[in-house]
Amino acid sequence: MSSSIELSAVEQAHKVRQGELSASELCQAYLTRIASQDQEIGAYLLVDEQGALAQAAKVDAKIADGLPVGALAGVPVALKDLLVTKDLETTAASKILEGWIPPYDAHVVSALRCADAVILGKLNMDEFAMGSSTENSAFKRCSNPWDHKKVPGGSSGGSAAAVASDLCSISLGTDTGGSIRQPAAFCGVLGLKPSYGRVSRYGVIAYASSLDQVGPITRTAEDAALVLEVIAGHDPRDATSCQSVVPRFRHACSQGVAGLRIGIADEMSLEAVDSQVRDHVDAAISQLVAGGAEVKRVSLPHTKYALSAYYIIAPAEAASNLSRYDGVRFGRRLADDKSLQEMYEETRGQGFGAEVKRRIMLGTFALRAGYYDAYYKKAQQIRTLIARDFERAFAEVDVIASPTAPTTAFGLGEKTSPLEMYQADVFTLSCNLAGLPGVSLNCGFDDANLPIGLQLLAPRMQEESLLRCAGYYQSATDWHTKRPG
Amino acid sequence: MGNVSKDEIRQLGTLARLSLSASEIGSLEHEISSILDHMENLSEVNTSDVIPMTHASMNPSVSLQPESVQQPDSLRPDVAQPSLAAEAVLASSSRIQDNCFSVPPVLPSGSSK
């Protein structure tokens, strides 16, 4: 493996800026690695070799001309295929959008381009971000780089697997109920879900609009902080994007954890948690304590209702958001010679996969006249109670620590019932319901050499507390430097 | 809460504009019923005085809102902004006619007002 690939994104950008590393050579090193490794992993749905090399050449030309370059100069990034890219096929891993070439870039994609990042391609995922294993991709299987018979997690499985196996330097994923953090945990990398409103969703294909966020998957806390600095901030094209000032997130990574109060909730220490996961998470918390943090018990009494509330709210919003895929404005159309209703039904019935149809049906059920109060409204009220639990807890502590997932990566094809799959998100869902930022970072490996994730949650707009913990933890341990064999 | 029948699944399919095969109807009947069973635990919680949280920017108790969090402006000034060219948008469709999206006939042929 080329040594430039082993550098962090911060180091790569620095060397490119200094003229010590050519963006074109760096880009080529990744393209060569993708060509030799990705057949086994299945992280990419599309590799834009030509576009990436052209972009890298532009960065090199700017540097040769003495022009200023952006914060991610020459850094090879890859994007979950839920992010809309101008003139580059965007599918959401769904047959219904196969062949769609969008006429515009998502806000985060424009931001990366402005920062002189080099976009390598589009990454595999669960169709429309619905899933916890990337097994719902309509196009190809994605494997866990640590064990090819295991899932990479989901829905941003390609984004996590690509970073873990050095098929890109950094990636972007999206997180509606854990879709950045859980795959980051399963693949042994760092995934940061920003606060709701921190990053514009303009051009992010919508799944559940009151929950969706975009965020980075990286190896180091400093890289995640750098990406967040680039993509965060107000965007008038997303009415939910906050006007709060974007802090210098990188600064937080070196601040240490002295005096930081870490909460542990009994409700997140379930018996269902694998004992090795529990032991490593406990050890990680002890490491934070060794750095000067304090530990307090907190209570989040409504946590046990998060799964039910989430699987009413998210499918209801999905049923509404996905009504736009009807074969008229984009994507493929079937039964064009039949009636309008039949054209809609055939296009959607053939175009969507099983999990997407299941969630549309569930959402349609919950929103039906006469059922709305019993399901959707009730779930929104539970959501208020979950958010209040966090507010009370965060009056006492700065972050809340837990495992990211109850187990390490499970086997491909192992989970056969939808409910069993949904349980994989049991620790990540409540963060989205409350709009909080959360991070997952690697805190060790089980006996089968599968990575274990530590999840940290913070109050809204307090990503810096997460980065303080992650930066300190990575300075004191070397789990994040391990690479799959 | 609880069970849904095959007929209800068919009705939902029509509402959701999804063609479903007989085997899909069978498995959805079973899966949706078991998911709804799981959701019965929500009825344990008394929510009679609780305000529904409609989006994550909403603060469930304003008194505890961190000062740094500003509510987003939900409306922008009503001023025309540049938008995508019609040709670029229409290029995404599999069927266009006279610079419009084309769809199958909505009214049966031969019908008049």
Side-chain angles (χ1 to χ4, degrees), chain B residues 46-100:
Chain B
N46 179 0
T47 51
S48 50
D49 296 326
V50 180
I51 300 163
M53 188 169 169
T54 54
H55 62 91
S57 302
M58 203 172 145
N59 285 280
S61 355
V62 175
S63 59
L64 291 172
Q65 178 181 355
E67 284 174 17
S68 63
V69 178
Q70 295 176 28
Q71 288 300 309
D73 295 326
S74 54
L75 298 175
R76 64 168 174 79
D78 186 16
V79 177
Q81 303 282 335
S83 64
L84 295 167
E87 298 73 32
V89 175
L90 289 164
S92 296
S93 176
S94 60
R95 184 159 299 197
I96 54 170
Q97 191 183 325
D98 302 331
N99 221 29
C100 294

Side-chain angles (χ1 to χ4, degrees), chain A residues 25-44:
Chain A
E25 283 171 25
L26 183 62
C27 177
Q28 189 56 61
Y30 279 99
L31 290 171
T32 304
R33 192 167 163 78
I34 292 166
S36 69
Q37 306 284 316
D38 196 44
Q39 265 190 328
E40 267 200 275
I41 303 290
Y44 279 85

Side-chain angles (χ1 to χ4, degrees), chain A residues 91-212:
Chain A
T91 67
S94 179
K95 283 186 182 160
I96 208 162
L97 274 180
E98 192 171 11
W100 182 47
I101 312 287
Y104 68 104
D105 273 331
H107 169 82
V108 291
V109 176
S110 309
L112 290 175
R113 291 194 204 278
C114 283
D116 286 314
V118 170
I119 294 168
L120 293 172
K122 308 298 291 287
L123 295 166
N124 208 352
M125 54 181 283
D126 284 301
E127 183 178 3
F128 283 104
M130 298 180 192
S132 310
S133 67
T134 311
E135 291 169 293
N136 296 332
S137 167
F139 299 118
K140 61 158 105 162
R141 192 175 94 157
C142 185
S143 296
N144 190 307
W146 294 90
D147 178 345
H148 295 177
K149 292 193 174 68
K150 304 282 183 186
V151 302
S155 66
S156 311
S159 302
V163 171
S165 48
D166 292 300
L167 301 177
C168 61
S169 178
I170 52 179
S171 68
L172 291 186
T174 64
D175 191 316
T176 303
S179 283
I180 287 175
R181 289 159 288 151
Q182 185 255 23
F186 279 13
C187 292
V189 290
L190 185 149
L192 176 65
K193 181 241 170 233
S195 307
Y196 188 80
R198 177 65 91 184
V199 180
S200 164
R201 286 100 45 86
Y202 175 77
V204 180
I205 293 175
Y207 159 22
S209 302
S210 78
L211 305 162
D212 298 339

Side-chain angles (χ1 to χ4, degrees), chain A residues 18-304:
Chain A
Q18 298 298 314
E20 294 166 23
L21 179 62
S22 130
S24 301
E25 283 171 25
L26 183 62
C27 177
Q28 189 56 61
Y30 279 99
L31 290 171
T32 304
R33 192 167 163 78
I34 292 166
S36 69
Q37 306 284 316
D38 196 44
Q39 265 190 328
E40 267 200 275
I41 303 290
Y44 279 85
L45 290 178
L46 183 150
V47 180
D48 182 22
E49 188 167 340
Q50 240 183 335
L53 286 170
Q55 228 167 334
K58 272 189 203 165
V59 176
D60 284 333
K62 273 192 188 177
I63 288 163
D65 292 343
L67 297 170
V69 286
L72 289 169
V75 175
V77 308
L79 308 168
K80 184 177 188 178
D81 204 23
L82 202 67
L83 307 177
V84 167
T85 43
K86 188 176 189 321
D87 300 332
L88 202 58
E89 186 180 1
T90 300
T91 67
S94 179
K95 283 186 182 160
I96 208 162
L97 274 180
E98 192 171 11
W100 182 47
I101 312 287
Y104 68 104
D105 273 331
H107 169 82
V108 291
V109 176
S110 309
L112 290 175
R113 291 194 204 278
C114 283
D116 286 314
V118 170
I119 294 168
L120 293 172
K122 308 298 291 287
L123 295 166
N124 208 352
M125 54 181 283
D126 284 301
E127 183 178 3
F128 283 104
M130 298 180 192
S132 310
S133 67
T134 311
E135 291 169 293
N136 296 332
S137 167
F139 299 118
K140 61 158 105 162
R141 192 175 94 157
C142 185
S143 296
N144 190 307
W146 294 90
D147 178 345
H148 295 177
K149 292 193 174 68
K150 304 282 183 186
V151 302
S155 66
S156 311
S159 302
V163 171
S165 48
D166 292 300
L167 301 177
C168 61
S169 178
I170 52 179
S171 68
L172 291 186
T174 64
D175 191 316
T176 303
S179 283
I180 287 175
R181 289 159 288 151
Q182 185 255 23
F186 279 13
C187 292
V189 290
L190 185 149
L192 176 65
K193 181 241 170 233
S195 307
Y196 188 80
R198 177 65 91 184
V199 180
S200 164
R201 286 100 45 86
Y202 175 77
V204 180
I205 293 175
Y207 159 22
S209 302
S210 78
L211 305 162
D212 298 339
Q213 255 295 292
V214 198
I217 295 184
T218 62
R219 204 173 279 287
T220 70
E222 210 186 4
D223 282 357
L226 174 62
V227 177
L228 192 56
E229 285 176 22
V230 167
I231 63 174
H234 179 64
D235 173 16
R237 297 171 300 182
D238 175 358
T240 65
S241 111
C242 284
Q243 307 224 4
S244 307
V245 174
V246 178
R248 288 265 301 161
F249 289 116
R250 267 174 292 175
H251 183 61
C253 298
S254 54
Q255 277 185 333
V257 292
L260 206 76
R261 300 162 302 167
I262 297 172
I264 299 175
D266 290 334
E267 295 84 354
M268 285 189 168
S269 314
L270 304 175
E271 287 187 4
V273 177
D274 175 272
S275 63
Q276 294 185 65
V277 170
R278 192 195 311 259
D279 290 348
H280 278 85
V281 167
D282 287 348
I285 293 167
S286 301
Q287 181 64 58
L288 295 172
V289 170
E294 302 163 30
V295 169
K296 281 189 169 185
R297 310 293 310 184
V298 292
S299 180
L300 301 168
H302 295 93
T303 299
K304 65 177 169 180

